[in-house]
Amino acid sequence: MKSPARPAAGPPPHPTLRSLTRVLPLTPATVLLLLFLAGPIAYCAYIAFTDLQLTGQAEDSFIGFDNFRTAFGDEAFLNAVWLTLVFTVISALIGQNTLGLALAALMQRASKPVRTLVGGIVVTAWVLPEVVAGFLLYAFFRREGTLNAILDWLHLPTQNWLYTLPILAVSFANVWRGTAFSMLVYSAALNEIPKEITEAAEVDGAGGWRRMWHITLPMIRRSIGTNLMLITLQTLSVFGLIWVMTRGGPSGKSQTLPLFMYEEAFQKSMIGYGTAVALLLLVVGSLFSTIYLRLLRTEV
Amino acid sequence: MRPTAPSPRRSPLRLLLTAALAITAPGALTACGTGSGSDPDTVEVSYKQSTDNQIRVLDTFLADVKKQFEKANPGKKVKLVPIKAPDSEYYTKVQQMLRSPKTAPDLVYEDTFLINSDITSGYLKPLDDYLADWKDWDQFIDTAKTAAKAEDGKTYGVPDGTDTRGLWFDKAIFEKAGLPADWQPKTWADILTAARTIKDKVPDVIPLNVYTGKPAGEAATMQGFEMLLYGTEDATAADASDPLYDEKSKKWKAGTQGFKDALTFVETVYKEKLGPEVSDALDPNISTRVRGELLPEGRLGINLDGSWLPQDWLPGSGHAWPDWSEKLGLAHMPTQNGQSPGKVSMSGGWTWAIPDKAGNPDLAFEFIETMQTKANAQKWYIANSGIAVRKDVAEDPAYAEAQPGIKFFTDLVPSTHYRPAYPAYPKVSTAIQEAMESVTTGDASVSEAAENYDEELKAATDNQVIEE
């Protein structure tokens, strides 16, 4: 194995100086991140320990872990945690991820016009603003919507999907909207796989599934990890889509954590409590991230 | 052989990016806004713009006042800052703006529903000094003056009208069902009987609409639940008190019998399928649909709703429906069993208030004065189907005759009720919506829903609750 060529150079610069010149270009970005990301997050972390309200209160006070205790004793919160997990697993881990991989794999073999067309359609769904996508899918699933029109035409029973199966409807919406991202990531990864290997496997008599299982998947493992992490984080914070389609209803049956947080913070005015919930959501996100990062670390 | 896996060495940049992504995704949920400072010659006016693009009543009115104001005050400018949102999101947005001097407008349109809450937060400026020098203030009727009066006795807003509520019914549907064109129910049972008749005789329409559940928000509480609840007691009795809040002990009342009766009514409407499909009733856009589609298209028999509906049907509003008054009848909402005074109405309305952190409060009050001259106030009440709070306008025949329905709804003012709009009210209201929603979907029985309400009420009011 040949290591990449290094530019020829004289004596190496002083180690601290070298690391300093390496870090220097990152300084503006780091300062910006600290200022606009870490700053508000630190402030929010502080608010989570107060009883701050949006309105109806002259002064707020520090209340320690009360908000967190309230959350874990609140059935609506536990319901939201459960629905968030269901939503993330169904729409991101299963839906977007596998569908994205399948599309990417199929498009490797497809002719150019097909590739352009399919890619174009999928990416359009991704580029649409969340709220617009929400309205489109609301129109698709509602009682007088497109889906029921199709079912009716096929003489199948119709129902109001947003009412009977709200969490599945919004999960489907998220799959519809977010698959493009996974598809792009996997297309790039699949293109990186050297032709010789797959050809060799083909010569050895490995079928499509075997090649996928024994060669492709192990080789794009890192991309799978990265993709899972990004789509999980995106999905955990989905708000507009669900808000537009169901507002978390009926009776909280599609109320994921972001919607629960919004309701507590902005509709019931309990900013402190809402922020505590947001922090817990952050924890959930970090847990997922840690798992994926571990997955990334393992070498093939 | 070429390396098959990407280099295991991770650049610091990639790590940083990963970290940034990990933080931003959930971090985006904690949205914080920024804004600009105030220009001393510009009055910034924040108001609620209808989510229906075709309804521009307030926009048109304010644009007109802006023109008058800028003409009368050379060098001064008015900047209109519309906030296009449903009610509940409008409140949230305004409250966020009011927190900081950078974002606080000079004048803000406040619902009486939340004004006490915002006063308690110190968001608003008392207007007493201004009002003392303003001769038109004497023209405002006394009940309206108290709409924005806080517990400290100071006034924080100038009301621009009020509203009342009643039953709207479709005369054509009534005729088909064999019901009288001058229908006036005396009890709740009469309403249900009429709805059942419509269901039998005119099966393809919705017999009765009562707003319910969280998606409808305050419309469910006020047009729906409270129109029932305030009719469960004898409001003229010597010991009559508010069914939600006990003034004497300053405590909220836990699920009373009246509360359960009102829930039972809601349950009956949806259980017997007298109302819209439950999934439609819990559609966040239900109130827009009732005004824009169901009533004008003759698909709804009886609608329990507010006096402001015709503003959506005025010429130029997009859903112009000039002959609505020939198609629709009006009946007042009866009490539960016909107890005195026989009819129920709820009132609220909006006020113009000056934020505590406003940059130009003096100029803002001058804008209120321009907006609330008799001529402008009258123009506004008529334009938005509001009920006059100025005596001189109420006495003007041009106002009473301007639109069918105005007299009917103005006559309800003596038997109207105001909500206990204390700081805990918005949370109490949400708890009511949750109770309504659970009996509407059938997830809970009336007694379970009432029990849940009691629990929610304790949490919402810091245990300031009495049980009867």
Side-chain angles (χ1 to χ4, degrees):
Chain A
M1 195 165 134
K2 214 175 95 185
S3 60
R6 279 176 189 278
H14 193 266
T16 39
L17 191 75
R18 194 176 59 183
S19 56
L20 201 72
T21 44
R22 267 194 189 170
V23 171
L24 207 63
L26 286 175
T27 320
T30 316
V31 170
L32 285 175
L33 275 177
L34 285 178
L35 205 66
F36 292 107
L37 274 170
I41 289 174
Y43 180 58
C44 289
Y46 164 73
I47 291 177
F49 293 92
T50 68
D51 61 353
L52 183 70
Q53 293 190 12
L54 190 57
T55 182
Q57 176 197 50
E59 266 169 30
D60 55 291
S61 53
F62 190 81
I63 54 163
F65 283 93
D66 274 10
N67 284 330
F68 296 93
R69 266 194 286 274
T70 315
F72 286 106
D74 185 347
E75 250 173 67
F77 170 78
L78 299 174
N79 170 56
V81 172
W82 167 241
L83 287 176
T84 307
L85 293 177
V86 171
F87 180 65
T88 308
V89 170
I90 295 183
S91 70
L93 302 193
I94 299 177
Q96 293 184 4
N97 189 48
T98 46
L99 195 61
L101 180 59
L103 279 173
L106 290 174
M107 275 166 63
Q108 293 278 310
R109 309 235 147 194
S111 64
K112 191 151 188 253
V114 174
R115 223 166 33 215
T116 319
L117 187 73
V118 174
I121 293 172
V122 177
V123 173
T124 307
W126 186 49
V127 177
L128 280 180
E130 202 179 4
V131 174
V132 177
F135 273 114
L136 282 175
L137 286 147
Y138 166 79
F140 179 73
F141 280 114
R142 63 184 282 225
R143 203 160 57 81
E144 291 154 12
T146 324
L147 177 59
N148 280 341
I150 297 171
L151 289 175
D152 199 41
W153 185 70
L154 295 170
H155 299 288
L156 289 170
T158 62
Q159 56 187 309
N160 188 330
W161 301 94
L162 295 172
Y163 182 69
T164 47
L165 292 167
I167 192 70
L168 281 184
V170 295
S171 298
F172 177 86
N174 193 41
V175 172
W176 181 83
R177 182 167 181 269
T179 300
F181 183 78
S182 301
M183 190 190 79
L184 295 175
V185 169
Y186 288 133
S187 289
L190 292 178
N191 281 331
E192 291 287 306
I193 297 180
K195 276 229 172 65
E196 305 92 83
I197 298 182
T198 25
E199 277 163 13
E202 226 172 326
V203 169
D204 289 345
W209 285 113
R210 280 182 75 113
R211 283 206 305 278
M212 182 59 131
W213 191 250
H214 289 291
I215 298 180
T216 314
L217 285 183
M219 288 182 87
I220 60 166
R221 191 169 174 169
R222 292 177 152 278
S223 301
I224 297 177
T226 314
N227 183 53
L228 280 178
M229 177 153 99
L230 294 176
I231 61 175
T232 302
L233 293 176
Q234 275 165 7
T235 302
L236 280 178
S237 60
V238 165
F239 175 81
L241 199 65
I242 306 181
W243 181 253
V244 169
M245 289 177 67
T246 65
R247 294 222 174 163
S251 302
K253 286 196 191 94
S254 58
Q255 192 176 48
T256 56
L257 276 174
L259 277 101
F260 177 75
M261 191 217 89
Y262 179 84
E263 183 179 303
E264 295 299 325
F266 298 120
Q267 294 193 300
K268 296 188 183 168
S269 301
M270 296 191 285
I271 292 281
Y273 183 47
T275 316
V277 174
L279 273 191
L280 291 171
L281 181 60
L282 206 81
V283 172
V284 175
S286 324
L287 279 178
F288 273 105
S289 305
T290 319
I291 296 170
Y292 300 141
L293 281 174
R294 289 207 162 257
L295 206 86
L296 274 175
R297 207 182 288 161
T298 331
E299 283 303 318
V300 182
Chain B
M1 196 176 134
R2 286 188 300 172
T4 51
S7 151
R9 203 175 56 119
R10 265 169 283 163
S11 75
L13 185 68
R14 188 184 297 174
L15 267 185
L16 201 67
L17 271 177
T18 318
L21 271 164
I23 296 170
T24 40
L29 298 167
T30 55
C32 302
T34 53
S36 55
S38 227
D39 167 1
D41 289 325
T42 304
V43 197
E44 266 188 44
V45 182
S46 284
Y47 65 98
K48 187 175 116 60
Q49 192 169 53
S50 173
T51 49
D52 185 336
N53 276 324
Q54 293 168 320
I55 311 292
R56 285 287 169 265
V57 183
L58 183 51
D59 308 66
T60 316
F61 173 71
L62 287 176
D64 178 31
V65 179
K66 171 186 153 96
K67 213 183 281 169
Q68 294 176 26
F69 183 83
E70 286 175 352
K71 200 172 165 194
N73 300 277
K76 307 291 181 198
K77 285 254 173 294
V78 178
K79 188 178 163 203
L80 299 177
V81 188
I83 297 171
K84 189 184 181 113
D87 285 356
S88 60
E89 282 143 58
Y90 172 80
Y91 308 142
T92 305
K93 176 75 184 165
V94 163
Q95 283 155 354
Q96 284 172 311
M97 289 167 74
L98 295 180
R99 292 184 83 88
S100 156
K102 278 189 186 150
T103 49
D106 296 307
L107 193 59
V108 65
Y109 202 36
E110 280 265 343
D111 193 334
T112 47
F113 162 62
L114 264 184
I115 197 161
N116 264 298
S117 211
D118 286 352
I119 294 167
T120 311
S121 304
Y123 290 159
L124 303 177
K125 204 181 266 307
L127 303 180
D128 299 69
D129 292 345
Y130 294 115
L131 295 173
D133 297 335
W134 184 36
K135 60 178 178 20
D136 284 40
W137 188 235
D138 292 338
Q139 286 296 339
F140 284 73
I141 56 174
D142 288 339
T143 42
K145 282 182 176 176
T146 59
K149 202 177 232 176
E151 282 165 314
D152 61 9
K154 293 178 187 157
T155 303
Y156 289 78
V158 175
D160 73 337
T162 185
D163 47 33
T164 51
R165 283 147 180 80
L167 293 160
W168 303 74
F169 61 92
D170 188 304
K171 289 182 189 166
I173 296 176
F174 267 53
E175 202 184 315
K176 272 192 215 162
L179 292 161
D182 58 347
W183 182 62
Q184 177 53 66
K186 300 276 188 296
T187 63
W188 290 0
D190 290 353
I191 302 175
L192 292 175
T193 309
R196 288 179 189 125
T197 313
I198 294 173
K199 192 178 177 230
D200 276 353
K201 305 266 173 66
V202 199
D204 51 343
V205 302
I206 300 164
L208 167 66
N209 172 54
V210 178
Y211 292 114
T212 183
K214 280 202 295 192
E218 184 61 10
T221 315
M222 202 174 178
Q223 276 88 274
F225 194 80
E226 288 168 352
M227 285 295 284
L228 294 160
L229 180 68
Y230 281 77
T232 56
E233 289 170 17
D234 181 350
T236 54
D239 60 345
S241 74
D242 188 287
L244 281 176
Y245 183 81
D246 184 61
E247 290 284 352
K248 270 181 239 138
S249 61
K250 304 230 175 278
K251 286 185 174 174
W252 294 85
K253 292 182 181 172
T256 55
Q257 188 54 44
F259 191 93
K260 288 176 196 155
D261 291 350
L263 274 184
T264 308
F265 186 93
V266 175
E267 189 191 41
T268 310
V269 169
Y270 290 94
K271 209 180 208 170
E272 290 188 24
K273 300 198 181 299
L274 301 173
E277 288 271 342
V278 174
S279 58
D280 288 343
L282 297 179
D283 183 324
N285 302 311
I286 178 74
S287 55
T288 315
R289 290 191 58 203
V290 165
R291 298 195 297 263
E293 297 169 26
L294 300 180
L295 278 178
E297 291 168 12
R299 290 158 61 195
L300 175 59
I302 310 166
N303 180 34
L304 180 53
D305 215 323
S307 53
W308 56 85
L309 294 200
Q311 67 167 287
D312 284 21
W313 305 325
L314 292 172
S317 66
H319 304 292
W321 189 21
D323 54 349
W324 70 265
S325 59
E326 287 151 37
K327 308 270 166 139
L328 295 182
L330 286 164
H332 58 71
M333 179 69 185
T335 49
Q336 183 177 12
N337 302 308
Q339 57 262 67
S340 172
K343 51 185 165 180
V344 185
S345 177
M346 299 294 302
S347 283
W350 292 67
T351 67
W352 288 100
I354 300 180
D356 188 55
K357 296 192 165 74
N360 306 314
D362 298 351
L363 213 54
F365 196 80
E366 280 178 44
F367 190 78
I368 297 184
E369 288 180 338
T370 313
M371 199 161 31
Q372 294 295 326
T373 59
K374 178 184 180 253
N376 278 339
Q378 183 159 341
K379 214 186 283 178
W380 170 239
Y381 301 146
I382 294 172
N384 85 327
S385 311
I387 303 302
V389 287
R390 279 184 71 117
K391 291 175 226 162
D392 48 3
V393 179
E395 286 158 9
D396 192 330
Y399 157 78
E401 289 156 18
Q403 247 182 58
I406 284 190
K407 190 178 170 341
F408 173 86
F409 284 109
T410 308
D411 287 349
L412 284 173
V413 171
S415 49
T416 202
H417 300 266
Y418 289 86
R419 293 163 292 185
Y422 301 108
Y425 178 79
K427 286 181 218 165
V428 174
S429 171
T430 310
I432 292 176
Q433 292 156 28
E434 281 168 3
M436 292 178 90
E437 187 165 322
S438 59
V439 299
T440 302
T441 56
D443 283 349
S445 68
V446 165
S447 56
E448 284 165 352
E451 269 170 42
N452 291 342
Y453 171 76
D454 292 353
E455 288 306 307
E456 287 280 313
L457 189 68
K458 280 177 198 156
T461 61
D462 242 348
N463 244 335
Q464 296 301 302
V465 171
I466 48 166
E467 308 199 13
E468 289 195 338

